[in-house]
Amino acid sequence: MTDQPAAAGPPLPQGPPSTRIDKWLWAVRLVKTRSDAAQACRGGHVRVNDKPAKPAAGVSPGDEVRVRLHGTTRVVEVAHIIDKRVGAPIAQRCYVDNTPEPTVAAPPQAFAPPPRRDRGAGRPTKRDRRQMERLWREGP
């Protein structure tokens, strides 16, 4: 028996010292396809060490990667480089997720809908316009 702690899962596959950012994002399953990763890079949604990253930008262990996908920003630190897609348990061990907790925003205030005029009523008169402006200024 050895006194070493058991590994958290299967051993990590041997990888190169660095790889392309689009390939790594796809391999660790942060995006569904490699073309989605490349498109996110071209769209300016991927930053490596706070610099915009092109799809061919290199990534190595210790780099911080920010990815904005589906309205949320993920902040991950590269722990291990892989360039082939692997199972989810292994892929999750290749990065450290430093994504901040989402802040709870205040619920939006209820606004009264703008006054509606009957269809075909024509242009509002000066009196009607002043009444509408008064309602808009007062708010809910």
Side-chain angles (χ1 to χ4, degrees):
M1 287 189 18
T2 61
D3 290 343
Q4 294 178 355
L12 293 172
Q14 185 66 25
S18 68
T19 189
R20 294 170 54 113
I21 184 67
D22 62 339
K23 202 175 204 182
W24 186 81
L25 288 171
W26 167 76
V28 297
R29 298 173 174 261
L30 290 176
V31 293
K32 280 189 175 185
T33 64
R34 188 166 165 197
S35 62
D36 285 347
Q39 188 174 3
C41 290
R42 284 192 296 271
H45 302 290
V46 178
R47 297 178 74 85
V48 177
N49 296 329
D50 285 332
K51 294 179 185 161
K54 293 184 178 180
V59 65
S60 56
D63 288 345
E64 180 189 68
V65 178
R66 290 179 179 269
V67 184
R68 191 171 69 234
L69 296 169
H70 310 295
T72 60
T73 301
R74 300 277 309 264
V75 180
V76 296
E77 181 182 338
V78 179
H80 185 74
I81 298 294
I82 55 174
D83 57 358
K84 300 225 188 241
R85 198 159 170 107
V86 293
I90 296 173
Q92 289 175 344
R93 291 175 42 214
C94 292
Y95 62 87
V96 178
D97 196 353
N98 296 327
T99 304
E101 293 293 323
T103 58
V104 179
Q109 294 181 357
F111 290 104
R116 303 289 294 196
R117 292 180 49 83
D118 292 334
R119 193 173 176 102
R123 290 179 60 171
T125 63
K126 196 173 202 176
R127 180 174 174 236
D128 292 339
R129 183 178 51 80
R130 286 182 178 150
Q131 287 176 346
M132 287 189 288
E133 286 177 355
R134 193 175 312 119
L135 286 173
W136 288 332
R137 271 183 295 196
E138 292 174 3

